Amino acid sequence: MSDQEGMRWTASGRVSGSPRRRAIAALVLVLAAALVLFRCGGSSVQVTDGREGSGGNPTVGLITKSYTNPFFVKMRDGAQQAAREQKVELLTATGRFDGDYASQVSAIENMVAAGARGILITPNDSKAIVPAIEQARDRGVLVIALDVPTDPESAVDALFSTDNFKAGILIGEYARAAMGDTPARIATMDVSSHITGGGLLRHNGFLVGFGALDVTVSETRQATPPSVVCSRDSKGDQAKGRTAMADCLRTDPDINLVYAVNEPAAFGARTALDAAGKADVMIVSIDGGCTGVRAVRDGKIAATSQQYPLKMAEQGVAAVVDYVKDGTKVSGYVDTGTTLIADDRQPGIPSEGVEYGLANCWG
């Protein structure tokens, strides 16, 4: 007779039988409770790599916006690689979609309850996520924002990110040089009107680089100068980018330049433009994923600012390990780099070619 066959549950929920059988049943209860902990709320927290936390190694959490964007897939890959190297346990979670901060709040709570010493997060809502982050920090958890700053930025211990304002400036300068004296009629495929942080910085940075706007990195509002004839929320999604671009073309069929907050939005915009017989409209974007760099090579995107999500996650995990080992707490902003990638390189505009982009891309 197996141990499972020999166990009997009493009305009180206790187990009768041998001590060995009672021990097995207790273990089942513990595992069930753990499963409830990790599955509660709107998010799913998963142990994806690392070693046993009970062995004295720290637990690190990674919470991304979504898993549909290859940028966040590569970020998770970077965290997993660092977890293996640093011998830590890694918990991962994600919003159900870009903009879903409620699931991220649940993930923070679950990770704190699971004993995470540090949490890395790309906020889905830079303001709404702050109370949950503050509660985690009050419990002694090191919280680092990746890619997207919180609002205020001081809500986290540190930010590891692309300089999004600079990334926008780079593609704006390129677009201005490539268009020459042609008057611009610009459409912007933004992430979402209520998102601050990276989306705002990229949008305004692009317009500053293009010469259509004169603001600083501290500007808190999304600008719309006269040369921008249409702005739509793409949510950073390819299908929504296609819909947004089609709507912009109905608003102004003479659009000749498109800024896209990321490459999925750019691909959607390109599909809509091609369907409308406007393959000559220039698109510039930010990401630098392998698919995006190949799109630059193929002429579908004119230029992209390449960023490095794997580096963000690797450095974030290392920072948590340092904090656990000797109390060293990282603070402030850490620039993880950005490079303009273009095939038709413009004189006076610092950039690298497609070969460099493919050697350093992700996705």
Side-chain angles (χ1 to χ4, degrees), residues 131-143:
I133 289 174
E134 289 176 340
Q135 290 177 11
R137 293 180 70 192
D138 288 344
R139 297 279 297 273
V141 178
L142 183 74
V143 181

Side-chain angles (χ1 to χ4, degrees), residues 297-308:
R297 179 196 61 195
D298 298 339
K300 297 178 180 179
I301 300 175
T304 189
S305 286
Q306 187 170 64
Q307 48 183 347
Y308 305 103

Side-chain angles (χ1 to χ4, degrees), residues 1 44 76 129 137 145 161 190 228 331 358:
M1 180 186 298
S44 174
R76 182 181 58 182
I129 199 69
R137 293 180 70 192
S161 174
D190 299 299
V228 176
S331 63
L358 289 174

